[in-house]
Amino acid sequence: MFYKFFKRAFCIIASLLGIIVTSPLWLIAVVGIKVSDPGPVFYMAKRIGKDNREFRMFKFRSMRVDRDAGEHSFKADTNRVFPFGAFLRASKIDELPQLLNCLVGDMAIIGPRPASKDQVSVVRAGRYSVVSTVIPGLSGPSALYDYIYGDTIEDEIEYEELVLPTRLELDRFYVSHISCGFDIKMIWWTVLCILYSFSHGESKATNKILEELKSFVAEEATVKG
């Protein structure tokens, strides 16, 4: 009970502070999108959250509008990304509007990544259904793994073979190890990854985080074994 209360209170405070502090970036994103490509500023993605409840996840739009496009693929259609959108994606500024989702309670700062409605039959099926018992997060072990390693894999088939299985296991790992301490650790790792992406790119720190994320999955496998 304390954990849930603390986490919700933290998410409200952190979301409000995050929106205020990053407001100049929001302005840059809004102007850049309007100048770069016709269409809405925000992209509202259909996502599945806690208890398999559907909600709209906010992002700054980084791709050209395609009314017939779906989200079955685990890799984005990079051919539709416009130049300023590529900057938004690389800098993760496109993710900032999810602070609004954290503020209203659809998401938390830390948790499993929310499932795309088109992918829920894969990422929330069978042994992964337990992930739907917690609120999805803006960041977390699977999001960090995707950020450090998954984003380097461009081919969709290769991504599904090399990245997706570990990503799904990391979501399960989070559910079984959920705690204030673990959340704080994930926040710190997220800050480190973002800072190093701007200043140094790949670093010993991010490589160490990647190896530890892999060890989480190995630890789970050993316990089951």
Side-chain angles (χ1 to χ4, degrees), residues 23-42 60-61 82 84-85 87-88 93:
S23 56
L25 297 178
W26 289 58
L27 181 60
I28 292 171
V30 170
V31 174
I33 293 169
K34 281 297 184 182
V35 171
S36 301
D37 190 74
V41 169
F42 294 103
F60 282 123
R61 185 174 61 86
F82 52 89
F84 185 72
F87 162 73
L88 293 177
I93 293 175

Side-chain angles (χ1 to χ4, degrees), residues 134-164:
V134 301
I135 298 174
L138 177 60
S139 185
S142 64
L144 287 171
Y145 185 76
D146 212 31
Y147 184 52
I148 299 171
Y149 178 58
D151 285 353
T152 67
I153 307 297
E154 296 184 1
D155 182 74
E156 182 178 358
I157 296 177
E158 188 177 3
Y159 179 90
E160 292 183 10
E161 291 178 351
L162 300 178
V163 181
L164 184 60

Side-chain angles (χ1 to χ4, degrees), residues 63-175:
M63 305 172 77
R64 295 183 179 87
V65 176
D66 182 350
R67 302 295 181 188
D68 298 322
E71 293 186 311
H72 297 282
S73 172
F74 286 97
K75 295 296 290 181
D77 181 4
T78 54
N79 292 325
R80 288 173 48 219
V81 178
F82 52 89
F84 185 72
F87 162 73
L88 293 177
R89 296 172 73 89
S91 62
K92 297 301 180 182
I93 293 175
D94 66 321
E95 308 275 1
L96 287 178
Q98 290 168 46
L99 290 170
L100 294 171
N101 291 113
C102 294
L103 184 62
V104 300
D106 291 327
M107 295 174 62
I109 299 297
I110 300 296
R113 283 302 288 167
S116 165
K117 187 176 180 180
D118 293 337
Q119 299 169 358
V120 70
S121 61
V122 175
V123 301
R124 294 292 186 270
R127 60 200 299 253
Y128 303 116
S129 61
V130 68
V131 179
S132 65
T133 62
V134 301
I135 298 174
L138 177 60
S139 185
S142 64
L144 287 171
Y145 185 76
D146 212 31
Y147 184 52
I148 299 171
Y149 178 58
D151 285 353
T152 67
I153 307 297
E154 296 184 1
D155 182 74
E156 182 178 358
I157 296 177
E158 188 177 3
Y159 179 90
E160 292 183 10
E161 291 178 351
L162 300 178
V163 181
L164 184 60
T166 300
R167 208 186 85 182
L168 297 180
E169 289 300 325
L170 284 170
D171 278 340
R172 291 185 72 252
F173 181 89
Y174 177 80
V175 175

